[in-house]
Amino acid sequence: MVTFIPFGEKPNKEGVMYTIELLKRNKLIDDFMIVESNNVELLADRVPLDKCYIIGEHLATYGIIKRIKPPSIISIDAHTDLMHDYLDHGSWLAYALEEKAVNRAAVVGPVLMIPTTEGTSLWTRRVKIFPALPRSKRSRGKWKAYKSLKTSPIEEIIATMRRYLGEEIYLTVDMDVLKPEYKIARFQHGELSLEELLGLIEEIKKNFKIIACDIAEISDRIKRSKLGKKALIEVYTALMGE
């Protein structure tokens, strides 16, 4: 079964409901459930244990993993979602780690690495970041490069994640990790092509036991995007295939 969660503002809700029709039209779903809530804290009590969730605003992942309680999570995302001021779509992973709804995390593919607002804090504990583009961080008074998708072989990144996270993970794929031309999410898009994203998903499937997964940040922009529809279908098929 697949659970659809039209969570967030109107564009996110409409995007998720449109996705149901898109997948039905392509004969990719028959058994599904719709779970609605305006409060992320209530999602943990409402969502079923399922293999795949298709959601609007990425904050919904926070509610899902509070229900599933996976040991580790991999987030493929154009943003780290580690801001730590208040709970929203830009901070859900920070709060999930702080509250120990998940023990460890890895974020793959971000282009936006740091907060842009003065006084904003960034969560850094029990999480590893593998950016899409070369980035560096200050550690013990020195600058150290992150392993990025441009500078390190995917096999090396996967091996590092496996050692850090263990075998069992929850996988969340934020569709804004794709380049702007795919036009799926509402906000800043990332730097990955569909082929790069599918390759990353395939390597994760080969090396981890995926307890459950979600596809996040779908908005009503997908209705008008041929590339977006193709990407959604192919990512869903990759995640649900054997």
Side-chain angles (χ1 to χ4, degrees):
M1 190 171 75
V2 181
T3 298
F4 292 83
I5 306 176
F7 182 84
E9 297 181 359
K10 184 178 178 181
N12 290 117
K13 292 179 179 179
E14 290 185 357
V16 171
M17 298 309 291
Y18 175 80
T19 298
I20 296 175
E21 298 307 314
L22 177 66
L23 296 180
K24 284 169 64 177
R25 192 161 64 238
N26 285 272
K27 301 185 180 345
L28 292 172
I29 58 167
D30 45 31
D31 187 18
F32 66 91
M33 180 178 186
I34 300 172
V35 175
E36 297 189 71
S37 175
N38 291 321
N39 185 336
V40 71
E41 300 288 354
L42 299 178
L43 276 180
D45 297 325
R46 295 183 181 182
V47 295
L49 293 175
D50 208 341
K51 181 178 180 180
C52 183
Y53 304 86
I54 295 181
I55 64 180
E57 189 175 305
H58 210 170
L59 175 57
T61 300
Y62 170 85
I64 296 169
I65 63 173
K66 289 194 82 171
R67 169 76 165 99
I68 295 177
K69 296 182 172 62
S72 300
I73 186 168
I74 294 177
S75 177
I76 304 176
D77 197 335
H79 310 87
T80 60
D81 292 347
L82 293 171
M83 295 172 76
H84 195 233
D85 287 345
Y86 51 87
L87 181 60
D88 69 354
H89 64 91
S91 66
W92 68 268
L93 182 54
Y95 281 86
L97 286 163
E98 181 180 44
E99 295 165 12
K100 298 192 175 176
V102 63
N103 294 324
R104 291 187 174 190
V107 185
V108 188
V111 291
L112 184 61
M113 296 293 294
I114 59 173
T116 55
T117 306
E118 285 186 17
T120 299
S121 60
L122 189 71
W123 180 272
T124 58
R125 298 192 295 278
R126 307 197 321 277
V127 59
K128 289 190 179 295
I129 300 171
F130 304 92
L133 305 174
R135 292 285 189 273
S136 60
K137 61 180 175 179
R138 194 171 182 84
S139 178
R140 297 178 182 178
K142 297 180 180 179
W143 287 96
K144 181 180 179 182
Y146 287 94
K147 289 182 180 179
S148 77
L149 296 178
K150 294 293 184 186
T151 58
S152 300
I154 187 62
E155 295 81 8
E156 181 181 332
I157 290 173
I158 292 289
T160 301
M161 288 198 295
R162 176 64 185 261
R163 288 193 297 270
Y164 185 68
L165 300 176
E167 179 186 8
E168 292 191 351
I169 57 116
Y170 180 96
L171 175 61
T172 176
V173 181
D174 187 324
M175 296 301 283
D176 72 11
V177 78
L178 291 169
K179 294 180 177 181
E181 56 261 36
Y182 291 92
K183 298 178 182 176
I184 298 176
R186 299 172 61 196
F187 304 110
Q188 176 193 10
H189 277 256
E191 290 291 333
L192 298 191
S193 67
L194 177 57
E195 290 70 26
E196 288 171 324
L197 175 56
L198 293 174
L200 181 55
I201 290 171
E202 189 60 34
E203 288 300 316
I204 290 171
K205 287 178 65 177
K206 287 179 185 176
N207 289 275
F208 293 91
K209 179 181 178 181
I210 301 174
I211 299 170
C213 64
D214 70 51
I215 304 173
E217 287 297 345
I218 299 168
S219 78
D220 60 355
R221 297 184 75 200
I222 194 173
K223 298 179 185 179
R224 302 174 292 279
S225 173
K226 184 177 179 180
L227 285 177
K229 294 184 185 75
K230 180 179 186 293
L232 189 284
I233 288 169
E234 294 202 19
V235 168
Y236 175 81
T237 302
L239 289 171
M240 296 298 283
E242 296 301 326

